[in-house]
Amino acid sequence: MQASLIANCVFNAFLPFTAITLNIVTILALRKPLTIPGALKVLLLSLSVSDLGVGLLVQPLYSTSLVMLIKENTRTRTFEITLNFLNGTATFLAFTSFFSVVALAADRFLAVHLHLRYQELVTHKRVVAVVISIWIISAILMLVFIWEPSNVAKIILVFVESVCYLTTAFFYFKIYLAVRHHSNQIHVLQAQLAQNNEGADMTNSARERKAAVGTFYVYLVFLICYLPNTICSLITLRSAGPSTMLFQFGLYAGTLVNLNSSLNPLIYSWKMRHLRHAVMEILRNILPHPHQ
């Protein structure tokens, strides 16, 4: 168990630097004028701020608690305060990430299905209201988890996470069906371009489908990083007592959750060309240039 503690401590010592740097650059890039849909930008900003919070708070607290466990300094008041603060902030930011990922999927679902009505119904004010609601609801759930640190709170946590997994999967399944349907009609649309001027609509549909694919990768990596932690929580609820194997599994699951905050900005830049160009421009301005 000591080896697992040390390995996770060493790995988590580097994660705050990547999470903070990459998410700050991403936030700055998203604030630039881009051809990314406005609603998508707001939701990506929300997720990036959540990931930045993980880098600033959760990861340092997680590393600190691991160091205390290595030193077997777990009976002090400092360890209890660190652990409580870690659990509270991690729960809060985990919920904001879960709800933001669901909102991203819902936004892309509406964009693919509503077409021209999307901009009319999904306004900037409504998206901002959704983001504010996400953070308020996450704060309420965090307070429930802190005030009632029992199996009831853990059951609520696992239930909410499971609903988010299934809801997001449903949205992307419906998006997949819509994309396949649009692909089957592409030849008909091309034949009608000269007659009914559907070229702009066709281009917009292609752009929305591409953005949907990009957010799907965010969900896929999110699922890989968070699902082991959810499984660990579920096993803990059904377990009769503490287990060394379960504890070690929980350590690596927690590290995987922390890793997600560094991976998300890379996915944005990989799948969204205009955002990638903005990120590269910011990095060129920040990094020192060699003397010519």
Side-chain angles (χ1 to χ4, degrees):
M1 186 172 68
Q2 196 78 356
S4 297
L5 284 170
I6 294 174
N8 281 275
C9 187
V10 171
F11 189 69
N12 278 276
F14 295 98
L15 287 181
F17 299 103
T18 57
I20 293 171
T21 302
L22 292 174
N23 282 290
I24 286 178
V25 172
T26 301
I27 291 171
L28 293 174
L30 285 169
R31 291 178 61 84
K32 288 179 173 290
L34 302 172
T35 56
I36 298 174
L40 181 58
K41 286 179 65 175
V42 173
L43 294 173
L44 288 176
L45 273 171
S46 175
L47 188 55
S48 296
V49 171
S50 178
D51 287 334
L52 178 60
V54 172
L56 289 171
L57 297 173
V58 176
Q59 291 173 349
L61 289 169
Y62 190 65
S63 298
T64 302
S65 64
L66 290 178
V67 171
M68 291 181 177
L69 286 171
I70 293 172
K71 294 182 177 180
E72 297 183 352
N73 191 21
T74 59
R75 297 184 179 181
T76 63
R77 179 63 177 166
T78 303
F79 178 77
E80 293 180 2
I81 294 174
T82 302
L83 194 61
N84 290 335
F85 196 33
L86 169 63
N87 289 334
T89 53
T91 301
F92 172 60
L93 293 173
F95 277 126
T96 60
S97 296
F98 268 96
F99 295 144
S100 294
V101 169
V102 174
L104 280 170
D107 173 71
R108 293 301 87 199
F109 169 79
L110 294 174
V112 169
H113 280 77
L114 295 179
H115 301 300
L116 296 179
R117 292 184 60 211
Y118 168 76
Q119 293 183 350
E120 175 186 347
L121 298 177
V122 185
T123 62
H124 178 75
K125 289 184 178 180
R126 289 175 179 174
V127 176
V128 171
V130 168
V131 169
I132 293 174
S133 300
I134 284 174
W135 287 80
I136 293 175
I137 294 172
S138 298
I140 294 173
L141 290 173
M142 176 197 67
L143 293 176
V144 171
F145 189 81
I146 292 176
W147 286 339
E148 190 66 30
S150 62
N151 284 344
V152 176
K154 293 179 182 178
I155 290 172
I156 294 174
L157 177 65
V158 172
F159 175 77
V160 172
E161 290 177 355
S162 301
V163 170
C164 289
Y165 289 137
L166 294 175
T167 304
T168 309
F170 169 78
F171 280 132
Y172 281 115
F173 176 70
K174 297 294 288 185
I175 290 172
Y176 164 75
L177 293 179
V179 169
R180 189 176 66 174
H181 177 70
H182 292 161
S183 298
N184 292 336
Q185 291 185 323
I186 191 169
H187 296 297
V188 177
L189 289 173
Q190 288 175 338
Q192 295 175 345
L193 288 182
Q195 299 177 3
N196 53 22
N197 196 27
E198 290 182 354
D201 182 58
M202 184 175 171
T203 303
N204 291 333
S205 298
R207 186 183 299 115
E208 299 296 354
R209 291 198 299 271
K210 188 174 182 180
V213 172
T215 57
F216 172 74
Y217 278 98
V218 172
Y219 166 66
L220 185 62
V221 174
F222 182 86
L223 186 67
I224 294 171
C225 291
Y226 272 81
L227 188 57
N229 191 66
T230 304
I231 294 173
C232 183
S233 300
L234 186 60
I235 295 174
T236 302
L237 288 172
R238 300 177 61 88
S239 178
S243 166
T244 301
M245 183 177 296
L246 182 59
F247 178 77
Q248 291 180 335
F249 178 64
L251 287 177
Y252 289 103
T255 298
L256 201 57
V257 168
N258 291 338
L259 177 63
N260 181 252
S261 297
S262 298
L263 295 178
N264 280 338
L266 299 178
I267 299 171
Y268 309 153
S269 297
W270 171 42
K271 299 305 298 182
M272 300 178 188
R273 178 169 54 88
H274 297 285
L275 180 60
R276 180 171 66 250
H277 291 167
V279 168
M280 295 302 296
E281 181 182 352
I282 292 173
L283 291 176
R284 280 194 297 267
N285 293 332
I286 294 176
L287 297 176
H289 298 281
H291 295 289
Q292 295 181 351

